[in-house]
Amino acid sequence: MPLVDMKDMLNHAYHHGYAIGAFDLVSLDFLHGIITAAERTRAPVILSLAESHFEYFDFELVMPAVETAAKRASVPVAIHLDHGASLASAVTAISHGCNGVMVDASHEPLSNNIQSTRAVVDMAHACGVPVEGELGYVPGVEGEDAERHPGEVAYTTAEEARTYGDQTGVDFLAISIGTVHGHMKGKPKLDFRRLKQINETLDIPLVIHGGTGLSDDQYRQLIANGVAKINYYTALSDAAAKKINENTAADAGSSYTGLVKDIRTVVAAEAERCMHLWGAAGRADEVLSNCRPWMPVEHLIIYNVHGIGKADAEAMIAEGRQVLAAIPGVREVFTGESVQNNTKYRYTWLVRFCHPAVIDSYREHPDHVAFANNQFRPVAGERISIDYQTVAPGTSHIEHSINREAIQ
Ligand SMILES: [Zn+2]
């Protein structure tokens, strides 16, 4: 059960003095390389998907592969939306399997940043999903030269961090203390005094974006002062690009598969180096035994329809499928009719929630309440509703199991 609660995971790192890599992946080779590194070093890992990269791959197509990689891993994994642009981005990410989301409204004035972030926190917490906020401004775009994206570093202050933390309820905070996304000119100068103040003020896991190019000693000081998550992409991208150039120069450059040969190997090597450097290597078993597993819930309803014809019943079901699938925390909605004619219950809903928290937030969601009261309950006579915590194939036991039954 290697998908674990990301808040538990980062709290473990925060309280045990190490940092977990959140590696942005842009292809299956990156995914493979990152997971391989985590397995080899026995490190917890965050598979990170940056919204700014969605123009290079189809998020919806990639997520099933990311989830499969997480489920078959023997080390703890979390799946994170990096730099989500809006509340809608966060809802979509959760419905496709992310169990951590970042909202980045750091370019907005503080009061707007607080407001946008608070909305995401309310939605995500109702889905059991933790949220990373960002305060201050880290210039640049993942993997590009920072000089191409001008803008001064806007440093996070401890005072703003307190206000922001109190008013948004974020679980982790990305701060700006001198790093930039992508490559930078010269050596990065980090403001550790400021970091120490922020850490003492907030006492939650801190996040550094723009981790590429820092010295070993700078990493050690970051981690000693509360940084528990390090976002890392540029160096992986550099290693992959260098490999492609080598392949081009060599005979291997004559075909696509020749060009991308061994990308996963060089990505794995760089990620592995980081896992050792940041102290995450060797922590997998501790994290697995101390963190809650991330498990979905199947919400099952079986029922009969009274007082309307088959066409109206089908219209009601189609409408419900659409309405319910859009509720935050809902992964999938199946509807069905029994194959045999003589069954006690003719129809079914099977709604998959990402997390047990959704049992309550779904029931209270205005769209669910309106559909249930106006369209479903008036025609659904006998019905049984049960929430099952389900176990993926290959998993040997259920932890923290819930099984709530209600015959309405
Ligand atoms: Zn970033």
Side-chain angles (χ1 to χ4, degrees):
M1 223 168 335
L3 255 180
V4 302
D5 187 290
M6 191 170 141
K7 185 168 178 163
D8 289 356
M9 188 196 238
L10 286 181
N11 278 335
H12 187 271
Y14 184 68
H15 292 297
H16 291 82
Y18 67 97
I20 297 174
F23 300 96
D24 283 323
L25 60 97
V26 288
S27 73
L28 293 184
D29 280 329
F30 274 63
L31 173 59
H32 198 282
I34 296 160
I35 283 284
T36 301
E39 292 278 0
R40 258 192 228 144
T41 60
R42 301 296 305 156
V45 68
I46 296 170
L47 300 173
S48 182
L49 298 106
E51 191 163 350
S52 62
H53 287 154
F54 290 3
E55 60 182 297
Y56 308 119
F57 61 85
D58 186 325
F59 178 66
E60 227 180 292
L61 281 181
V62 166
M63 278 304 284
V66 173
E67 277 196 287
T68 304
K71 281 179 192 157
R72 75 179 190 187
S74 68
V75 294
V77 178
I79 304 174
H80 188 62
L81 171 71
D82 187 21
H83 288 285
S86 64
L87 177 61
S89 308
V91 173
T92 305
I94 292 169
S95 75
H96 285 99
C98 288
N99 67 344
V101 292
M102 179 203 184
V103 54
D104 181 2
S106 61
H107 48 281
E108 296 176 20
L110 182 62
S111 62
N112 295 19
N113 185 358
I114 288 173
Q115 209 178 10
S116 313
T117 307
R118 179 79 234 176
V120 173
V121 169
D122 287 343
M123 180 280 297
H125 283 183
C127 301
V129 173
V131 177
E132 174 185 338
E134 178 163 346
L135 195 56
Y137 177 64
V138 178
V141 171
E142 285 72 19
E144 296 185 17
D145 287 336
E147 296 102 85
R148 283 173 51 195
H149 298 271
E152 285 294 303
V153 177
Y155 288 88
T156 308
T157 68
E159 197 184 328
E160 279 183 347
R162 184 198 297 275
T163 308
Y164 180 87
D166 286 349
Q167 293 185 18
T168 60
V170 291
D171 305 279
F172 329 115
L173 183 65
I175 49 161
S176 173
I177 56 156
T179 58
V180 301
H181 288 113
H183 301 113
M184 74 187 303
K185 274 200 193 116
K187 284 217 163 68
K189 281 199 193 72
L190 304 186
D191 189 338
F192 289 112
R193 225 172 64 123
R194 185 184 292 269
L195 174 65
K196 191 166 186 290
Q197 280 173 354
I198 296 170
N199 185 37
E200 283 166 1
T201 306
L202 280 184
D203 200 27
I204 60 171
L206 301 176
V207 182
I208 282 291
H209 286 238
T212 295
L214 303 183
S215 71
D216 292 6
D217 187 58
Q218 283 176 318
Y219 281 125
R220 267 189 284 276
Q221 287 192 67
L222 287 173
I223 294 164
N225 289 291
V227 169
K229 172 174 179 278
I230 296 173
N231 278 41
Y232 205 75
Y233 169 69
T234 304
L236 301 185
S237 162
D238 288 351
K242 181 166 171 261
K243 190 76 216 167
I244 289 173
N245 287 331
E246 286 169 11
N247 289 339
T248 310
D251 206 24
S254 56
S255 68
Y256 172 76
T257 48
L259 282 177
V260 298
K261 189 171 177 293
D262 296 332
I263 296 293
R264 50 177 75 172
T265 311
V266 296
V267 167
E270 178 60 15
E272 216 177 313
R273 187 184 74 82
C274 296
M275 289 164 181
H276 282 294
L277 180 59
W278 302 337
R283 299 284 189 166
D285 295 330
E286 267 172 84
V287 169
L288 279 174
S289 56
N290 285 294
C291 300
R292 285 165 294 177
W294 183 259
M295 292 174 75
V297 166
E298 306 282 345
H299 174 64
L300 174 76
I301 298 176
I302 51 177
Y303 65 104
N304 286 319
V305 168
H306 296 284
I308 55 170
K310 197 170 165 57
D312 285 341
E314 280 170 5
M316 179 272 291
I317 290 166
E319 161 96 16
R321 240 188 343 243
Q322 209 176 353
V323 169
L324 304 179
I327 294 175
V330 171
R331 298 287 318 266
E332 275 179 295
V333 179
F334 296 95
T335 57
E337 200 176 334
S338 64
V339 177
Q340 292 85 7
N341 283 324
N342 57 348
T343 47
K344 193 169 174 197
Y345 298 96
R346 183 113 188 107
Y347 294 100
T348 187
W349 295 96
L350 219 157
V351 186
R352 179 169 299 152
F353 299 149
C354 68
H355 183 272
V358 185
I359 294 170
D360 291 331
S361 59
Y362 171 87
R363 192 177 45 230
E364 289 155 15
H365 194 278
D367 293 346
H368 172 258
V369 172
F371 174 73
N373 288 347
N374 303 332
Q375 305 201 53
F376 180 64
R377 288 191 186 124
V379 299
E382 318 81 8
R383 58 182 187 271
I384 293 179
S385 168
I386 309 177
D387 297 305
Y388 291 97
Q389 186 133 53
T390 53
V391 178
T395 310
S396 56
H397 61 292
I398 302 185
E399 286 171 60
H400 310 279
S401 92
I402 55 145
N403 180 354
R404 304 196 330 188
E405 181 164 347
I407 298 180
Q408 296 171 333

